Amino acid sequence: MGQIAALEQPPETIKRGPLAKIRQLRKTSKPVLLAGTILLLVLLSTLFPGVLSPHDPNEIHPELALSPPSLEFILGTDEFGRDIFSRIIFGTRVAIVISSASVGLAFAIGIPLGLISGLYGGLTDGLTMRVMDAVLAFPSLIFTILIVAALGASPFSIIVSIGFLFTPRFARLVRGSVLVLKDVEFVVASRACGAGSSRIMFRTILPNTMAPILVQITLGMALAISIEAGLSYLGLGIQPPTATWGTMLRDAQRYLYLAPWYTLAPGVLIFVVILLLNFFGDRLRDALDPRLKQV
């Protein structure tokens, strides 16, 4: 077993794994550090929304409806006099939880499918990939609308629909990595030492595919946030009075000229968070891909 463990990682990966490269990226790239700091603030608002929000997100003040930004209401109020800033913070929790859970579901299903398909090949590979191709053939938003309409608008149905939609992305990504790695020397040596298929998949090949998987996770979360906001905008997401970015954007469009701050707050936040996740994913890819790294 000691021989197998020693052969499971190539020397380059042992010396400098994905986590070491991420730490190095953090030390040398100020834009990435800034993006990571903002995303950390978004995460904190997800974990502690009640601490960061100055008001109850559903507290109504009819006399203060559509009030402009002030010291009491930083981003103003909506048509019911509710604090927009507090609702944005609680909407952040909805967006991050749903995107994380849906990407996690896709990860949990797609990774084993990609490993099995790439390692065994043949009929297993053909059937699995054709199913994945069929899922990818559907437009993302239309596919999620069909599933949510069938299961009902709820967090569970949104997570299942987005997770199922993203599964082929992880499966095909991992399958491609397995096809490249399964005939590499350290995998062949591990097999020659008596390692079984499950050990080769999860202990030898999978750790060496984590770099593109980490990048796919960040990009997948950005797209999941966009899809969730789109569903909420269409009335198929989390239902009121729960605050979501898409619902706030839909309600704000009726007051575009009367209260422009109402529209800008959720719209700008959706844009910034998705932009930062995509930027972070691109820089993470640059740091983890040895072909893009200067020697």
Side-chain angles (χ1 to χ4, degrees), residues 54-180:
H55 301 278
D56 186 329
N58 295 321
E59 185 178 355
I60 296 176
H61 301 280
E63 70 281 2
L64 299 175
L66 299 178
S67 298
S70 62
L71 292 178
E72 184 179 2
F73 301 104
I74 300 175
L75 297 178
T77 62
D78 63 8
E79 69 273 25
F80 297 108
R82 298 174 296 191
D83 181 35
I84 294 176
F85 181 67
S86 298
R87 291 182 64 78
I88 286 263
I89 290 178
F90 277 84
T92 302
R93 180 175 61 177
V94 173
I96 298 300
V97 168
I98 287 182
S99 63
S100 300
S102 58
V103 171
L105 178 62
F107 179 94
I109 300 174
I111 298 300
L113 286 177
L115 288 171
I116 294 171
S117 179
L119 191 63
Y120 289 103
L123 182 61
T124 301
D125 181 34
L127 289 176
T128 303
M129 288 302 102
R130 297 300 75 74
V131 173
M132 298 297 101
D133 290 342
V135 175
L136 287 173
F138 284 92
S140 301
L141 188 57
I142 294 177
F143 182 85
T144 52
I145 288 175
L146 290 175
I147 295 182
V148 171
L151 299 179
S154 68
F156 174 78
S157 62
I158 297 173
I159 291 171
V160 169
S161 61
I162 300 177
F164 190 63
L165 178 68
F166 285 0
T167 296
R169 300 172 183 267
F170 286 94
R172 294 185 67 86
L173 178 66
V174 173
R175 172 185 176 270
S177 298
V178 171
L179 293 177
V180 173

Side-chain angles (χ1 to χ4, degrees), residues 57-60 78-80 82 87 90-91 94 98 153-155 158 228-229 231-252 254 262:
N58 295 321
E59 185 178 355
I60 296 176
D78 63 8
E79 69 273 25
F80 297 108
R82 298 174 296 191
R87 291 182 64 78
F90 277 84
V94 173
I98 287 182
S154 68
I158 297 173
E228 187 279 328
L231 289 173
S232 296
Y233 181 85
L234 295 173
L236 295 172
I238 308 300
Q239 298 300 301
T242 302
T244 66
W245 295 345
T247 303
M248 293 179 66
L249 198 58
R250 180 194 65 196
D251 295 339
R254 293 177 294 176
Y262 189 7

Side-chain angles (χ1 to χ4, degrees), residues 42-59:
V42 172
L43 178 62
L44 289 176
S45 67
T46 301
L47 297 175
F48 310 105
V51 176
L52 299 177
S53 61
H55 301 278
D56 186 329
N58 295 321
E59 185 178 355

